[in-house]
Amino acid sequence: MKNYIEIIIPVSNIQIKEMLSAMLAGKGFDGFEETENEIKAYTQEENFSQAAVEEILNNFQIEYSLQLIPAQNWNAVWQSNFHTIAVDDFVAVRADFHEPSANTRHEIIITPKMSFGTGHHATTYMMMHQMRNIDFSNKTVFDFGTGTGILAILAEKLRAASVSAIDNDEWSINNAQENILKNNCTKIDLLLSGSPLKKEKFDIILANINKNIILENLSLLKNSVKLNGILLLSGLLTDDEEVILEKASSIGFHHISTIGRDKWICINLSN
């Protein structure tokens, strides 16, 4: 388990909020909570650079406060803020202490812990939204950076033949395993790893990570997806689209579509 840094930035202007979130995401912050008058941003303690934060905020002449959140307290933070989320009538994501959802085709139960990917963030939401339009029946699936396991679980519920899911964080793997069991999934293989599987090819690859990791691994992902297979990408900001599509096109991917939510995007590619 790892400690996190929370920074609290008093700001009410929506455009400035969006800019700050995007800039902080580029500096390793991977959790955000917005209220009417402030932003709370989270990053692992080992990734935190006070100089980088101050460089960003000095440009806006905004002060901030920060605190260390010990790993053992992070679960309580997530649980206190966790609420059921639904992607239209397609899928609902809830904790086991919430009432079951009666108005969606699929339901995923997630134990809210420090792993990211509970459906609340725009990128996870868009990935699930796009998965509705992909035929998973009897397909082989690779979930690159599984986090809570939410996308792998949804893939199985969509009748995938098998799902391979990896993450480079042991805590995420443990949390994903707990969620897999809670959802009675039997077709998901979990592996602690930070690199795509080199010897296997998949019909569908899901990668909800960030621009840098996607660019570093795009060629490996190309070699891991079958002919006419799908690569669904998120963890990306609107400004990332051009460089991602340029790289993808140069190695033979075809752009199917891009959707957006807030300042984030989800890209659908075919091999």
Side-chain angles (χ1 to χ4, degrees), residues 90-94 104-110 128 131 134-139 141 149-163 179-188:
F90 174 51
V91 59
V93 182
R94 68 174 178 88
T104 55
R105 287 168 49 197
H106 305 285
E107 183 177 70
I108 298 174
I109 302 172
I110 295 293
M128 293 191 293
M131 288 171 71
I134 297 172
D135 181 10
F136 281 80
S137 298
N138 300 314
K139 300 294 177 60
V141 178
I150 187 172
L151 301 181
I153 292 167
L154 181 56
E156 177 165 336
K157 289 181 179 290
L158 294 174
R159 297 181 294 173
S162 64
V163 183
N179 293 327
I180 287 166
L181 293 173
K182 194 176 291 289
N183 287 274
N184 300 311
C185 294
T186 60
K187 299 179 180 179
I188 301 173

Side-chain angles (χ1 to χ4, degrees), residues 22-173:
M23 295 170 77
L24 290 169
K27 298 297 184 182
F29 284 82
D30 49 13
F32 297 90
E33 179 184 348
E34 291 187 13
T35 66
E36 184 177 352
N37 296 311
E38 67 182 17
I39 298 174
K40 294 180 180 179
Y42 301 91
T43 187
Q44 291 182 12
E45 182 181 20
E46 62 190 35
N47 297 332
F48 176 66
S49 167
Q50 187 165 352
V53 170
E54 291 180 353
E55 181 181 359
I56 291 170
L57 295 181
N58 285 343
N59 291 328
F60 294 89
Q61 296 184 326
I62 298 175
E63 299 292 330
Y64 72 99
S65 59
L66 67 83
Q67 65 173 331
L68 175 71
I69 301 180
Q72 65 267 22
N73 290 337
W74 190 245
N75 295 345
V77 173
W78 270 110
Q79 290 188 21
S80 66
N81 291 289
F82 193 90
H83 58 274
T84 299
I85 187 166
V87 180
D88 302 323
D89 62 349
F90 174 51
V91 59
V93 182
R94 68 174 178 88
D96 52 11
F97 49 78
H98 292 139
E99 290 295 320
S101 173
N103 301 314
T104 55
R105 287 168 49 197
H106 305 285
E107 183 177 70
I108 298 174
I109 302 172
I110 295 293
T111 301
K113 293 189 175 179
M114 60 187 278
S115 305
F116 291 95
T118 58
H120 294 76
H121 195 274
T123 58
T124 312
Y125 184 99
M126 286 188 294
M127 290 288 285
M128 293 191 293
H129 184 277
Q130 290 296 82
M131 288 171 71
R132 181 177 196 166
N133 303 316
I134 297 172
D135 181 10
F136 281 80
S137 298
N138 300 314
K139 300 294 177 60
T140 55
V141 178
F142 176 45
D143 184 13
F144 181 33
T146 194
T148 59
I150 187 172
L151 301 181
I153 292 167
L154 181 56
E156 177 165 336
K157 289 181 179 290
L158 294 174
R159 297 181 294 173
S162 64
V163 183
S164 297
I166 71 169
D167 203 287
N168 65 355
D169 184 88
E170 186 174 0
W171 178 261
S172 292
I173 290 292

